[in-house]
Amino acid sequence: MASVLIAGPDTRVIELRVHGVMGTTPESLVDAVVAVDVAGDGVGRIVRPADRLRRPAPGPVLHAGGRPVPRTVEGYLWSAMTSGGFAKAAWALLLPFSLANMAHWMLPPTGRVLGGTLRSLVRLAALVLTMLLVTQLTVVSLDLVAGQWLDQFSQLRPWRAPIGLAPVLIVVALLHKLSAIDWKVHTPSPAPQRDLLPGARIAADPDAPALHVLHATAGLACAALLAAGGPFGASSDRVFVVWIAAWALILLSVLITLALDAPTEGRWFKPWARRLLVVATLLEFVAAGALAPMPSHGQHLPGTDPTVQSIAGVLGVTVVAFALVLIPAAVLARGGWSQLPPSLRPWAGGWMAAPMLVIASLLGGGFGAGVGITVQKALGDDSLQLPPGYRYVTTLWGVAAVLAVVVGLVGALVLVLPRGTKPIEIDLLHPGKPEDAKHAAQAWRLARLERKHAHHVFLVAAAVLSAGTVASVLMQIRGVELPWWGQPLPGIGITALGAFAIGLLRLVYVATKSPDTARQLGLLNDIAGFWPREAHPLVPPCYALKAIPELVARAQEHLADPGTRVVLAGYSQGSLLATIAAARLLDSLPAHERERVGLVTAGSPLQWAYPRAFPAVVSHDSLAELAKAMNGRWRAVCRGTDAIGGGVTTWERLAFDGQLLGVGFEGALPAAERSPNGALVLGGDHWLPDPQRGPIAGRRWRPGVLRHRDYTSDPEWDHAIAAAAGLDVAEAPLTLWNFKH
């Protein structure tokens, strides 16, 4: 049962909203024509509605216990951390790195030995992925452009090696500088005292600076190795020392990366050692540029093919080893969720990190190959040579493009054709509204289909790309030519890779000019950028490490007033931030203060996505523990038409005798109550009718099926806020339920 506190004359409610992906405007966040900043540092902003003189204004009152209770609406904006400006737009180019980093956070709960092995393998795969992309850049810059194309300019021939290696050094330096950006937290919060809380493991990794250096070292060493003749021997005696030094730097980077583990208090790879390694790497790179021999008459560099193939082979072996070691880890962890219904168990039985790492690796390799092919075509010289393996890469992506079109058409057909039974909630939410029920039923089916099969898209993509990779490798080893029906595939792959590379680069450029496009591009960063730099350091800074402590600090500031109750209200991705902040807030407050904290999540993927994709970080058990601590003050506002959101605190719903039943964190639940606003309140979930009931006099109204949009426009929003604040909501004012059926 929800705890209800008696509202005194000094009681007021602070509703602290947190937006979702792709950002929003301050005005939209707080439902006002004008909004002003009242706190924050410009990156994490606290805003409130304002009057005509741009002074902070109070929000609409809440009705509880037969009287109005003052409410202040605040919003926390974190979109400046993921969108706006060239640097943040360029983070989209790091998507393969971000996916590799995210794969680490998808690991199931493991023991010390298996966990340490898996963490080491995913860090090694991330390091080799960086080496592959830097090597592919070297192929374009040193081999294709400097070694072959610039050979026609006699005055530039002696300078081709330094000219070809200079862009590689610049790009690595920019990546290093870009990924070293971090957000300053002015009010850090203490680490959680209990591990069984949502997001308790989310913390900055003290090894991240060391990983920055190791990735830069390994990448530049691979470029020097290619210039010196490749992994199997120096191209001449004068670069033998360069060749040996490159191998030494690569092996040293690999060994140190394998030795690094989860966040610890100590940093055994000291700053002075990192600086020494950077100096040695720069000296090695300069020596490679000065001594590396370049072929005459525009010939192919001898080290190109073996270097690219060797690194790609090591990456493949590492990913396969990671996937194999992950199998027993997932099997051993299965006992932790075997009692849950299938709809709540982790995706792929806890093995989801493996396909995510596969996709990251193949996207990274495909992007590098796409850039090389694009530059080759742009130079307009048919004699320019790329590594022979690139032809098999184009075949792989040609097959993937064709299958993507086929799967897309089948998926579109499945989505268009109505299928399945009508959701049980429809008739209960839309009594006497057959037209609304018809539109709602179709939207419910589509949303349920998307939520049910979202992870299958990743599994199918990983399976198709993996099968294509195996086939391409076997064809390359055996020298098999494509049959007549497969001849168009390389051309399709070239088009797909070129479009992928050009489209992503263009999107980054446009995002620097248009704030709206920047927010759309921020969708990638919003999801992947939530996770701290753990496996791959060359990723966007983790905004959760700044947003969560600042939300906790703002709530504590308000709670200093004994009459204030704080409700953290998170929408979509913001619901994850709000939930973790609420958990840490309860963890830091004395028992008698916790009753003044509430949580509302809207359009939240906290049940169907995050516990299933990240079972060791946001587990079902941790959410149950939080729900128990909230004692009924966690309310989830949800729509069945929302493919991103959905139920959070209840599952296994069924209709019986005109009532909605279900199971929640505390077990079987009483039948759902019908809110005065037409919503069904089952446990902590407030199921909204969509389309909304109304219009309602004196309230903003949105027509049509809203799906994932505008939860605050529904009158049930105020009901959920009041319930989360612990107010008596047994009686609601007449204006909230005076609607026509």
Side-chain angles (χ1 to χ4, degrees), residues 608-629:
W608 73 269
Y610 275 100
R612 306 183 69 191
F614 307 96
V617 185
V618 192
S619 67
H620 177 83
D621 289 343
S622 70
L623 296 178
E625 183 75 11
L626 176 61
K628 180 180 178 181

mmCIF file of all heavy atoms in Angstrom, residues 608-629:
data_model
loop_
_atom_site.group_PDB
_atom_site.id
_atom_site.type_symbol
_atom_site.label_atom_id
_atom_site.label_comp_id
_atom_site.label_asym_id
_atom_site.label_seq_id
_atom_site.Cartn_x
_atom_site.Cartn_y
_atom_site.Cartn_z
ATOM 1 N N TRP A 608 11.093 -3.272 -19.842
ATOM 2 C CA TRP A 608 11.285 -4.151 -21.001
ATOM 3 C C TRP A 608 12.676 -4.027 -21.612
ATOM 4 O O TRP A 608 13.082 -4.902 -22.384
ATOM 5 C CB TRP A 608 10.240 -3.853 -22.078
ATOM 6 C CG TRP A 608 10.454 -2.563 -22.821
ATOM 7 C CD1 TRP A 608 9.957 -1.344 -22.499
ATOM 8 C CD2 TRP A 608 11.222 -2.376 -24.013
ATOM 9 N NE1 TRP A 608 10.365 -0.396 -23.399
ATOM 10 C CE2 TRP A 608 11.147 -1.010 -24.347
ATOM 11 C CE3 TRP A 608 11.969 -3.223 -24.825
ATOM 12 C CZ2 TRP A 608 11.795 -0.468 -25.452
ATOM 13 C CZ3 TRP A 608 12.611 -2.681 -25.928
ATOM 14 C CH2 TRP A 608 12.520 -1.327 -26.237
ATOM 15 N N ALA A 609 13.456 -2.981 -21.277
ATOM 16 C CA ALA A 609 14.740 -2.771 -21.945
ATOM 17 C C ALA A 609 15.926 -2.827 -20.989
ATOM 18 O O ALA A 609 16.772 -3.722 -21.096
ATOM 19 C CB ALA A 609 14.725 -1.439 -22.700
ATOM 20 N N TYR A 610 16.020 -1.897 -20.065
ATOM 21 C CA TYR A 610 17.259 -1.763 -19.296
ATOM 22 C C TYR A 610 17.575 -2.957 -18.404
ATOM 23 O O TYR A 610 18.715 -3.442 -18.404
ATOM 24 C CB TYR A 610 17.237 -0.458 -18.489
ATOM 25 C CG TYR A 610 17.707 0.711 -19.316
ATOM 26 C CD1 TYR A 610 16.807 1.582 -19.898
ATOM 27 C CD2 TYR A 610 19.062 0.911 -19.559
ATOM 28 C CE1 TYR A 610 17.237 2.638 -20.682
ATOM 29 C CE2 TYR A 610 19.499 1.959 -20.331
ATOM 30 C CZ TYR A 610 18.585 2.821 -20.895
ATOM 31 O OH TYR A 610 19.027 3.856 -21.681
ATOM 32 N N PRO A 611 16.647 -3.506 -17.635
ATOM 33 C CA PRO A 611 17.010 -4.688 -16.838
ATOM 34 C C PRO A 611 17.343 -5.900 -17.697
ATOM 35 O O PRO A 611 18.078 -6.779 -17.257
ATOM 36 C CB PRO A 611 15.744 -4.938 -15.996
ATOM 37 C CG PRO A 611 14.988 -3.673 -16.024
ATOM 38 C CD PRO A 611 15.273 -3.054 -17.352
ATOM 39 N N ARG A 612 16.823 -5.935 -18.921
ATOM 40 C CA ARG A 612 17.066 -7.081 -19.791
ATOM 41 C C ARG A 612 18.360 -6.918 -20.586
ATOM 42 O O ARG A 612 18.993 -7.912 -20.951
ATOM 43 C CB ARG A 612 15.877 -7.268 -20.731
ATOM 44 C CG ARG A 612 14.547 -7.375 -19.983
ATOM 45 C CD ARG A 612 13.398 -7.643 -20.926
ATOM 46 N NE ARG A 612 13.494 -8.982 -21.485
ATOM 47 C CZ ARG A 612 12.747 -9.412 -22.493
ATOM 48 N NH1 ARG A 612 11.862 -8.604 -23.057
ATOM 49 N NH2 ARG A 612 12.888 -10.642 -22.947
ATOM 50 N N ALA A 613 18.745 -5.688 -20.875
ATOM 51 C CA ALA A 613 19.985 -5.453 -21.613
ATOM 52 C C ALA A 613 21.181 -5.284 -20.686
ATOM 53 O O ALA A 613 22.307 -5.627 -21.053
ATOM 54 C CB ALA A 613 19.836 -4.211 -22.504
ATOM 55 N N PHE A 614 20.962 -4.759 -19.480
ATOM 56 C CA PHE A 614 22.054 -4.472 -18.540
ATOM 57 C C PHE A 614 21.730 -5.117 -17.186
ATOM 58 O O PHE A 614 21.520 -4.421 -16.187
ATOM 59 C CB PHE A 614 22.237 -2.960 -18.397
ATOM 60 C CG PHE A 614 22.399 -2.241 -19.704
ATOM 61 C CD1 PHE A 614 21.319 -1.644 -20.323
ATOM 62 C CD2 PHE A 614 23.641 -2.172 -20.326
ATOM 63 C CE1 PHE A 614 21.456 -0.984 -21.535
ATOM 64 C CE2 PHE A 614 23.789 -1.515 -21.533
ATOM 65 C CZ PHE A 614 22.697 -0.922 -22.141
ATOM 66 N N PRO A 615 21.694 -6.455 -17.132
ATOM 67 C CA PRO A 615 21.200 -7.138 -15.929
ATOM 68 C C PRO A 615 22.080 -6.974 -14.702
ATOM 69 O O PRO A 615 21.611 -7.221 -13.587
ATOM 70 C CB PRO A 615 21.146 -8.608 -16.366
ATOM 71 C CG PRO A 615 22.130 -8.726 -17.491
ATOM 72 C CD PRO A 615 22.084 -7.407 -18.203
ATOM 73 N N ALA A 616 23.327 -6.572 -14.869
ATOM 74 C CA ALA A 616 24.196 -6.399 -13.706
ATOM 75 C C ALA A 616 24.176 -4.975 -13.178
ATOM 76 O O ALA A 616 24.694 -4.722 -12.088
ATOM 77 C CB ALA A 616 25.637 -6.796 -14.054
ATOM 78 N N VAL A 617 23.592 -4.050 -13.928
ATOM 79 C CA VAL A 617 23.620 -2.634 -13.550
ATOM 80 C C VAL A 617 22.242 -2.157 -13.115
ATOM 81 O O VAL A 617 22.100 -1.453 -12.116
ATOM 82 C CB VAL A 617 24.137 -1.769 -14.721
ATOM 83 C CG1 VAL A 617 24.279 -0.316 -14.287
ATOM 84 C CG2 VAL A 617 25.470 -2.299 -15.232
ATOM 85 N N VAL A 618 21.220 -2.506 -13.880
ATOM 86 C CA VAL A 618 19.845 -2.107 -13.558
ATOM 87 C C VAL A 618 19.012 -3.389 -13.512
ATOM 88 O O VAL A 618 18.156 -3.619 -14.355
ATOM 89 C CB VAL A 618 19.279 -1.120 -14.603
ATOM 90 C CG1 VAL A 618 17.985 -0.499 -14.090
ATOM 91 C CG2 VAL A 618 20.274 -0.029 -14.931
ATOM 92 N N SER A 619 19.261 -4.206 -12.536
ATOM 93 C CA SER A 619 18.613 -5.515 -12.478
ATOM 94 C C SER A 619 17.176 -5.398 -11.987
ATOM 95 O O SER A 619 16.776 -4.401 -11.362
ATOM 96 C CB SER A 619 19.392 -6.449 -11.551
ATOM 97 O OG SER A 619 19.313 -5.991 -10.211
ATOM 98 N N HIS A 620 16.406 -6.439 -12.257
ATOM 99 C CA HIS A 620 15.024 -6.492 -11.759
ATOM 100 C C HIS A 620 15.015 -6.461 -10.232
ATOM 101 O O HIS A 620 14.156 -5.788 -9.625
ATOM 102 C CB HIS A 620 14.345 -7.758 -12.277
ATOM 103 C CG HIS A 620 12.949 -7.951 -11.757
ATOM 104 N ND1 HIS A 620 11.853 -7.348 -12.323
ATOM 105 C CD2 HIS A 620 12.473 -8.685 -10.702
ATOM 106 C CE1 HIS A 620 10.767 -7.696 -11.659
ATOM 107 N NE2 HIS A 620 11.113 -8.508 -10.669
ATOM 108 N N ASP A 621 15.940 -7.165 -9.598
ATOM 109 C CA ASP A 621 15.988 -7.185 -8.133
ATOM 110 C C ASP A 621 16.279 -5.800 -7.568
ATOM 111 O O ASP A 621 15.737 -5.430 -6.519
ATOM 112 C CB ASP A 621 17.051 -8.176 -7.656
ATOM 113 C CG ASP A 621 16.639 -9.623 -7.889
ATOM 114 O OD1 ASP A 621 15.437 -9.865 -8.104
ATOM 115 O OD2 ASP A 621 17.525 -10.500 -7.888
ATOM 116 N N SER A 622 17.126 -5.026 -8.242
ATOM 117 C CA SER A 622 17.426 -3.679 -7.752
ATOM 118 C C SER A 622 16.208 -2.772 -7.873
ATOM 119 O O SER A 622 15.960 -1.935 -7.000
ATOM 120 C CB SER A 622 18.615 -3.091 -8.517
ATOM 121 O OG SER A 622 18.270 -2.799 -9.861
ATOM 122 N N LEU A 623 15.429 -2.938 -8.940
ATOM 123 C CA LEU A 623 14.207 -2.150 -9.075
ATOM 124 C C LEU A 623 13.186 -2.554 -8.010
ATOM 125 O O LEU A 623 12.461 -1.704 -7.474
ATOM 126 C CB LEU A 623 13.619 -2.336 -10.471
ATOM 127 C CG LEU A 623 14.483 -1.825 -11.639
ATOM 128 C CD1 LEU A 623 13.803 -2.128 -12.967
ATOM 129 C CD2 LEU A 623 14.757 -0.337 -11.509
ATOM 130 N N ALA A 624 13.119 -3.851 -7.706
ATOM 131 C CA ALA A 624 12.220 -4.306 -6.647
ATOM 132 C C ALA A 624 12.632 -3.728 -5.299
ATOM 133 O O ALA A 624 11.778 -3.342 -4.481
ATOM 134 C CB ALA A 624 12.216 -5.837 -6.599
ATOM 135 N N GLU A 625 13.919 -3.665 -5.056
ATOM 136 C CA GLU A 625 14.414 -3.089 -3.803
ATOM 137 C C GLU A 625 14.055 -1.612 -3.710
ATOM 138 O O GLU A 625 13.662 -1.115 -2.650
ATOM 139 C CB GLU A 625 15.931 -3.282 -3.735
ATOM 140 C CG GLU A 625 16.572 -2.798 -2.442
ATOM 141 C CD GLU A 625 16.320 -3.736 -1.275
ATOM 142 O OE1 GLU A 625 15.822 -4.860 -1.503
ATOM 143 O OE2 GLU A 625 16.615 -3.344 -0.131
ATOM 144 N N LEU A 626 14.174 -0.909 -4.823
ATOM 145 C CA LEU A 626 13.811 0.508 -4.821
ATOM 146 C C LEU A 626 12.312 0.680 -4.599
ATOM 147 O O LEU A 626 11.887 1.569 -3.842
ATOM 148 C CB LEU A 626 14.230 1.152 -6.143
ATOM 149 C CG LEU A 626 13.828 2.621 -6.324
ATOM 150 C CD1 LEU A 626 14.462 3.492 -5.250
ATOM 151 C CD2 LEU A 626 14.209 3.123 -7.712
ATOM 152 N N ALA A 627 11.499 -0.136 -5.268
ATOM 153 C CA ALA A 627 10.048 -0.038 -5.089
ATOM 154 C C ALA A 627 9.660 -0.275 -3.629
ATOM 155 O O ALA A 627 8.774 0.398 -3.094
ATOM 156 C CB ALA A 627 9.344 -1.039 -5.997
ATOM 157 N N LYS A 628 10.327 -1.220 -2.988
ATOM 158 C CA LYS A 628 10.058 -1.480 -1.575
ATOM 159 C C LYS A 628 10.423 -0.276 -0.720
ATOM 160 O O LYS A 628 9.668 0.110 0.185
ATOM 161 C CB LYS A 628 10.838 -2.713 -1.126
ATOM 162 C CG LYS A 628 10.644 -3.081 0.337
ATOM 163 C CD LYS A 628 11.465 -4.312 0.699
ATOM 164 C CE LYS A 628 11.313 -4.650 2.178
ATOM 165 N NZ LYS A 628 12.134 -5.849 2.542
ATOM 166 N N ALA A 629 11.565 0.347 -1.019
ATOM 167 C CA ALA A 629 11.987 1.512 -0.243
ATOM 168 C C ALA A 629 11.075 2.711 -0.482
ATOM 169 O O ALA A 629 10.858 3.526 0.427
ATOM 170 C CB ALA A 629 13.432 1.870 -0.601
#
